[in-house]
Amino acid sequence: MDPRTPPADPRTRVRQFLARGTADRAPFLAMATRYTARLAQCRAAELLADPGLFVRSYTESIAALGLEAVLIEVPTHLAVGRDPVAVLREDLHRLRATLREQIAIVALLPGPLTLAAARGIAATPDALDDLVTELITLQEYLGPAELDALTLLERTSIADPDVPALADATAAFWNVARYYSLPSLLIAAEATPRLATAGPTAVAAWTGTTAADLLAAGATAAGQPPPSSPPAPPSSPPPSSPPAPPPPAPPSSGPAPLPPGGFYLSHDEIPADWPVDAVRSLVRLAGFRA
């Protein structure tokens, strides 16, 4: 960051970086719903179901952790016209009205491959097109103008042969982002560098490829988790499984810098049992080192 350049507000920083791969500095994008629920001493489902609790709790966690961009996942079962999605729309609306430019807000809609898998249907071109049409309707209902990127989260593994069909199906979704002059972001739980050709202005993968590889493959902006950030433990392990050890806190030295156009994001939800100081340190260092 050039010291002569005044810092951007978080919304401007996130929008600019995800659209162009440049800003005063790279942002750190965090999934912190479970962590916020832990600080509020409630379950994540309870947090999402109560707009007043949602806004109060997120306001407190954003201040405590130093967050500048929150990624809020939309569950696969939500649909327009049902009460839960109406409550989520109110959550997002109130959070934006309360914090205004202090925070970038991104709703993570499930990608069409993830939706197809959740519903047990074959991911044919026609099925993917129908699912993307449904996602566009849901995105319009949530209110794109109040968000800072139109985003899809694919929790399924994306191999090279999957990318062309995914790109064809999601082209209409990315067009909605362009209509609202918003950046677009595709996050994959696992992917290859070919994800860079899927069509959005920014791509990211939790595993399988790196931001550097995605940028080399043609991405304008690309993200990865900080190397020191382990995957979050499963929320409900099978009863026969032994208890997983708690994830280690990130080291204070922070992650190494990424190439131009690279940014860091959390690997899934920030583990709820990390100490507040450790999360705050990771957020600060990942943002300045990306």
Side-chain angles (χ1 to χ4, degrees):
M1 174 178 170
D2 187 337
R4 297 168 298 180
T5 303
D9 64 74
R11 294 192 72 189
T12 299
R13 178 179 301 118
V14 169
R15 288 184 177 214
Q16 183 175 328
F17 199 94
L18 294 182
R20 307 175 191 170
T22 60
D24 60 332
R25 63 171 173 81
F28 177 71
L29 312 184
M31 293 178 68
T33 299
R34 293 178 194 167
Y35 203 93
T36 298
R38 184 210 115 183
L39 294 180
Q41 299 182 354
C42 68
R43 295 184 296 110
E46 294 171 336
L47 183 75
L48 293 170
D50 184 336
L53 176 64
F54 179 90
V55 172
R56 289 194 305 273
S57 302
Y58 251 111
T59 299
E60 292 170 0
S61 69
I62 287 165
L65 303 177
L67 300 176
E68 62 181 350
V70 292
L71 310 179
I72 299 171
E73 184 173 6
V74 179
T76 57
H77 66 273
L78 291 189
V80 171
R82 297 181 183 173
D83 288 343
V85 76
V87 174
L88 179 60
R89 180 175 67 168
E90 184 67 13
D91 290 340
L92 300 173
H93 174 78
R94 290 196 192 183
L95 188 63
R96 168 60 65 221
T98 301
L99 296 181
R100 299 185 180 273
E101 312 304 311
Q102 298 175 46
I103 191 74
I105 303 172
V106 178
L108 297 178
L109 272 63
L113 295 176
T114 299
L115 270 184
R119 297 180 183 180
I121 61 178
T124 64
D126 286 345
L128 293 179
D129 286 345
D130 290 343
L131 291 171
V132 169
T133 299
E134 182 179 330
L135 288 168
I136 290 172
T137 301
L138 178 57
Q139 181 67 79
E140 292 282 1
Y141 181 76
L142 291 176
E146 295 189 346
L147 302 175
D148 296 300
L150 265 58
T151 306
L152 296 176
L153 170 60
E154 289 287 10
R155 286 190 170 274
T156 60
S157 178
I158 299 177
D160 281 351
D162 300 322
V163 175
L166 180 62
D168 288 344
T170 55
F173 190 86
W174 310 135
N175 282 338
V176 174
R178 282 189 283 270
Y179 176 81
Y180 286 98
S181 299
L182 288 172
S184 49
L185 171 63
L186 174 61
I187 301 173
E190 182 178 11
T192 68
R194 196 174 183 185
L195 188 72
T197 66
T201 59
V203 291
W206 293 338
T207 60
T209 187
T210 65
D213 289 340
L214 290 165
L215 291 166
T220 300
Q224 68 175 57
S228 57
S229 177
S235 56
S236 54
S240 58
S241 300
S252 58
S253 58
L258 290 175
F263 64 93
Y264 283 118
L265 75 167
S266 63
H267 183 135
D268 209 322
E269 291 280 340
I270 294 174
D273 51 1
W274 275 12
V276 170
D277 287 347
V279 177
R280 186 174 179 85
S281 176
L282 177 66
V283 170
R284 179 175 57 84
L285 291 170
F288 279 98
R289 288 173 179 256

